[in-house]
Amino acid sequence: MKTIQFANVEDQYRKYAGELRATDVQKLGEWVKSQPHLPPVTELELILFLHSNYYDLEAAQRTIECYYTFRTSCKNLFGNRNLDKDAILMAMDVLDLSILPELTPEGYRVMLAKIVDPDASKFSLNSLLTLALMCVDIQLWEEGCNNGSILIIDMDGIHLGHLPKLGIFTLKDLLYFIQEGLPIRLKGLHLANVVPFIDRIMTMIRPFMKKELLEMLHLHTKIHTLFPYIPQHLLPSDYGGMAQSRKSLRDNLYNYTISCGDHLARYDQVKRVDENKRLAKPRTMGNFFGLL
């Protein structure tokens, strides 16, 4: 098993000098220590939370609270993160996920996802998203802060047989975590090669999307209309770009994620909230969404 190469903290301060201040990171760390239910949070994690919230301390606190509580409570996305499980191994066969090696001109990191096995009987949204979030974890820890993140979903290969598999509760959980808990600056969400029944999917997910996320969502019937947002040369060779093939990028990402499996398991054991120590009302999946 490999050891994750965490981003260097001093490099983060140098990269965002003038905006990222050690005093603010210290204040955020002191706040975490004042919350007995929260797990230990490293300086790198504090920096990620602060940077993703554009250095707003109160917003960073809310993100920290959501991030660790949600990871502890949400079984759909974080309840079965065992890379040896058949469900995760099947997810690797169903989903090609790749992180493009070069940043966009704006300094954004791009992730590309595509269903490559059309057999709907193998499609498990929970497993696919669990796998994707493990890959995102490692990317965040190793790269540290960047100017923003873009997600491309190539819908070619998705058909009506997949529609009943798009569990509404899992989609709600995912959208909540992306918008409230994931320490990234999301800059774009692109659905390429959209399917004819995209309106039915949008009807499912729109109620859980904030105005800001809806504004950065772009639908593309063809791949070429994506290029004004992400230059074609950054894309895999399958899309006419200069990066490695999608399969090569996917293999590299999955192999590395598997090699980091022990660290992911340890992280999940340690980075959990203790509701018995929470000073305020215990959080549940119900009151996360304002139901209680």
Side-chain angles (χ1 to χ4, degrees):
M1 290 289 177
K2 292 186 178 180
T3 301
I4 291 175
Q5 302 299 310
F6 290 95
N8 183 276
V9 168
E10 295 305 320
D11 287 344
Q12 306 303 301
Y13 286 116
R14 281 191 292 269
K15 184 176 180 181
Y16 295 99
E19 297 177 297
L20 177 63
R21 295 189 292 267
T23 53
D24 287 341
V25 175
Q26 183 179 358
K27 288 177 184 176
L28 189 59
E30 290 170 354
W31 175 82
V32 169
K33 291 176 182 176
S34 75
Q35 306 297 309
H37 64 289
L38 289 176
V41 181
T42 67
E43 187 173 6
L44 175 62
E45 289 172 315
L46 292 171
I47 289 171
L48 284 166
F49 288 118
L50 197 56
H51 171 81
S52 65
N53 283 286
Y54 299 89
Y55 313 108
D56 182 322
L57 277 166
E58 290 188 5
Q61 290 172 6
R62 291 192 295 270
T63 302
I64 288 172
E65 175 61 49
C66 174
Y67 180 82
Y68 293 109
T69 303
F70 196 74
R71 290 175 71 105
T72 304
S73 304
C74 181
K75 304 306 180 187
N76 284 342
L77 304 180
F78 298 100
N80 185 19
R81 292 177 25 120
N82 184 342
L83 286 160
D84 295 326
K85 285 284 188 181
D86 289 344
I88 298 297
L89 295 174
M90 183 177 290
M92 292 182 179
D93 291 334
V94 170
L95 176 71
D96 269 12
L97 188 67
S98 55
I99 297 173
L100 303 190
E102 289 190 38
L103 300 174
T104 69
E106 300 84 5
Y108 302 158
R109 178 63 65 194
V110 181
M111 177 175 281
L112 172 65
K114 184 180 186 303
I115 298 298
V116 292
D117 188 333
D119 186 348
S121 68
K122 299 178 182 178
F123 183 94
S124 165
L125 185 62
N126 287 6
S127 298
L128 296 179
L129 296 177
T130 296
L131 169 64
L133 288 170
M134 285 191 282
C135 296
V136 169
D137 280 348
I138 295 171
Q139 176 69 22
L140 277 173
W141 298 330
E142 295 208 332
E143 182 173 16
C145 305
N146 58 38
N147 292 348
S149 299
I150 294 175
L151 174 62
I152 306 169
I153 300 175
D154 182 350
M155 301 188 77
D156 182 35
I158 297 177
H159 53 77
L160 276 170
H162 291 110
L163 196 58
K165 301 274 193 147
L166 299 178
I168 190 68
F169 294 109
T170 299
L171 289 171
K172 178 178 71 172
D173 288 345
L174 174 69
L175 289 167
Y176 179 80
F177 186 63
I178 288 175
Q179 295 174 102
E180 305 293 340
L182 193 58
I184 63 171
R185 295 180 175 183
L186 188 62
K187 296 293 186 178
L189 175 57
H190 297 267
L191 305 183
N193 294 316
V194 293
V195 291
F197 51 92
I198 186 63
D199 55 328
R200 296 170 67 177
I201 297 175
M202 289 304 302
T203 298
M204 294 172 64
I205 65 176
R206 187 177 283 111
F208 310 119
M209 299 174 72
K210 288 185 173 182
K211 176 176 177 285
E212 294 84 356
L213 184 57
L214 282 168
E215 288 175 348
M216 65 178 70
L217 172 65
H218 302 276
L219 306 182
H220 307 270
T221 55
K222 302 293 183 182
I223 197 69
H224 69 268
T225 60
L226 179 68
F227 300 154
Y229 301 92
I230 296 96
Q232 184 178 10
H233 74 271
L234 299 182
L235 294 170
S237 56
D238 318 57
Y239 298 87
M242 298 180 66
Q244 297 179 53
S245 70
R246 190 186 63 239
K247 184 179 185 305
S248 295
L249 292 172
R250 165 240 185 242
D251 288 346
N252 293 339
L253 179 61
Y254 289 173
N255 289 337
Y256 190 69
T257 301
I258 290 171
S259 74
C260 297
D262 285 350
H263 182 94
L264 287 163
R266 287 194 300 271
Y267 188 89
D268 289 343
Q269 289 174 353
V270 173
K271 302 288 186 168
R272 301 180 66 82
V273 299
D274 185 343
E275 293 296 350
N276 293 322
K277 296 181 179 179
R278 188 185 290 274
L279 301 176
K281 179 182 177 181
R283 303 302 300 270
T284 68
M285 291 307 293
N287 63 37
F288 256 129
F289 295 103
L291 302 178
L292 297 174

